Amino acid sequence: MSGDLPAIAVCGPFGAVKEQASGLYAQTLAANGFVTLAFDPSFTDESSGFPRNLASPDISTEDFSAAVDYLSNLKGVDHNKIGVLGICGFGGFALNAAAIDTRIKATVTSTMYDMSRVNTYGYFDKMDKNARYALKQELNAQRTEDTKDGTYAPGAGLPDKLTGDEPQFVKDYWEYYKTPRGFHPRSINSNGHWNKTSALSFINTPLLTFADEIRSPVLMIHGEKAHSLYFSKDAFKKLTGDNKTLMIIPAANHTDLYDNIKYIPMREIVAFYKKSFS
C-alpha cells in the first residue's frame, strides 16, 4: 500500500463537538502527515440518533470502531496504520475501543475521564452505595416520567454565570465552554444538557474492564494540576506491556489540554504515532 497515509480518529471531550478540541488535535495531526477524522458522537450535534443528547458507554465505544470502519475503507489510508485519540471522557472510550478492536494500532488519551467511574462513585470516589442507590431511585423515577411525558429531562449542565463558590475545575470548564475561548452553539457543554437518565447506563457498565488486554501502544497524557489526574493514573496501572507511557504535563489543569498549545505535547504525540506505525 505504498503512498497511503496513516490515519487517526479523534473525538472528545465529553459534551463537546468536533469543532472544539478534537478539531484542533485533528488539524494539527493532519498538518504532520496523518489522515484525520474528527467526529461528533452518536446522538449529538451533527451525528444521527434519537433521543438526542444521549450518552452510553457501549455506543460511545462503538463510535470509535465505526470511525475505524470508515478509515479502513477510505482510499489513500494505510489500513494497517490506524489509531485513535480520545480527549476527556472519550479518552476512556478510546481505551475501551482499543481493548476490543484489534484494528486500532495505537491509542492516545488526553486528560482522560473514566465516565463509568465518575457516574458510579462520584468525583474522587466519594459516593457510597447508599447514595448511589438513592441516585438510581431518582433516575429510574425520571424514566417513568420521561415515558409518560414523551420527553427526556435534561441533566445538570454548566451554569450560565458563576457565583464564585464553584470548585476550581467547574470554573475551568466554564472558562472553556462558556466564553469565546471554546464556546460553540451546538456543544452540549456550551449550550445544552445531557439527558439526565444517561447516567444509569454508566453506573451499570464499567469501562476499562479489559484494558489489560490492549497489546498495541498507548500514550496517556494528563495535566499535573488536573482534578481528573487520578483517572489516568489508575487506568495506566491496568495496562500491561512495555509499550505504554503516562506523560504528566507540569502545571497543566484538565482543560489546558483542550486547547492550550503551551501544554499539549503535540510533538510527542506525532512522534508516538509515527513510531507506533513504523
Side-chain angles (χ1 to χ4, degrees):
M1 302 182 71
S2 177
D4 290 339
L5 297 173
I8 313 295
V10 187
C11 195
F14 191 75
V17 293
K18 60 189 177 299
E19 290 84 358
Q20 292 174 313
S22 61
L24 171 64
Y25 278 76
Q27 288 174 341
T28 305
L29 287 167
N32 282 275
F34 299 90
V35 174
T36 58
L37 173 63
F39 62 89
D40 291 321
S42 297
F43 304 100
T44 71
D45 192 31
E46 294 183 313
S47 286
S48 61
F50 184 82
R52 304 306 293 166
N53 296 358
L54 177 145
S56 169
D58 56 330
I59 294 172
S60 295
T61 298
E62 169 63 17
D63 281 343
F64 271 113
S65 285
V68 174
D69 291 341
Y70 176 79
L71 292 171
S72 295
N73 288 281
L74 185 64
K75 185 177 179 180
V77 168
D78 186 334
H79 305 153
N80 294 310
K81 296 180 179 180
I82 297 176
V84 295
L85 190 154
I87 308 161
C88 186
F90 276 81
F93 302 136
L95 279 182
N96 210 41
I100 191 65
D101 195 332
T102 57
R103 298 171 301 170
I104 296 172
K105 303 304 183 184
T107 302
V108 172
T109 69
S110 182
T111 199
M112 191 209 83
Y113 251 63
D114 181 338
M115 295 305 302
S116 289
R117 182 174 176 179
V118 75
N119 277 286
T120 303
Y121 299 104
Y123 282 105
F124 313 112
D125 299 334
K126 290 185 177 180
M127 183 189 300
D128 64 19
K129 63 181 181 181
N130 291 325
R132 184 162 52 255
Y133 188 80
L135 175 61
K136 289 188 285 188
Q137 287 181 308
E138 176 188 352
L139 294 177
N140 282 293
Q142 186 62 59
R143 287 191 59 151
T144 300
E145 292 302 308
D146 288 349
T147 302
K148 180 178 69 175
D149 297 338
T151 59
Y152 293 88
L158 288 172
D160 289 331
K161 294 182 179 180
L162 295 177
T163 65
D165 295 329
E166 295 85 359
Q168 183 59 47
F169 70 89
V170 173
K171 295 176 183 177
D172 293 338
Y173 283 135
W174 195 94
E175 287 295 332
Y176 179 78
Y177 286 109
K178 292 290 191 177
T179 72
R181 171 186 166 191
F183 178 85
H184 194 283
R186 298 197 311 271
S187 166
I188 292 173
N189 290 343
S190 288
N191 204 32
H193 307 266
W194 287 103
N195 287 350
K196 185 175 183 178
T197 56
S198 290
L200 282 168
S201 61
F202 288 98
I203 292 172
N204 214 40
T205 310
L207 288 168
L208 310 182
T209 300
F210 294 102
D212 62 324
E213 297 187 5
I214 299 173
R215 297 189 181 184
S216 54
V218 176
L219 171 62
M220 302 187 71
I221 303 162
H222 224 110
E224 176 191 25
K225 301 298 184 182
H227 69 285
S228 51
L229 177 57
Y230 67 102
F231 290 127
S232 282
K233 284 185 172 181
D234 289 352
F236 184 74
K237 292 175 184 176
K238 294 184 177 182
L239 302 179
T240 58
D242 57 3
N243 56 355
K244 313 296 189 291
T245 302
L246 174 61
M247 178 182 295
I248 299 177
I249 308 302
N253 66 29
H254 182 84
T255 56
D256 280 330
L257 296 183
Y258 286 5
D259 65 338
N260 192 331
I261 58 174
K262 173 184 175 182
Y263 293 111
I264 300 172
M266 284 297 187
R267 182 180 301 177
E268 288 81 0
I269 292 171
V270 169
F272 166 79
Y273 280 125
K274 288 185 175 180
K275 180 180 179 181
S276 299
F277 296 148
S278 63

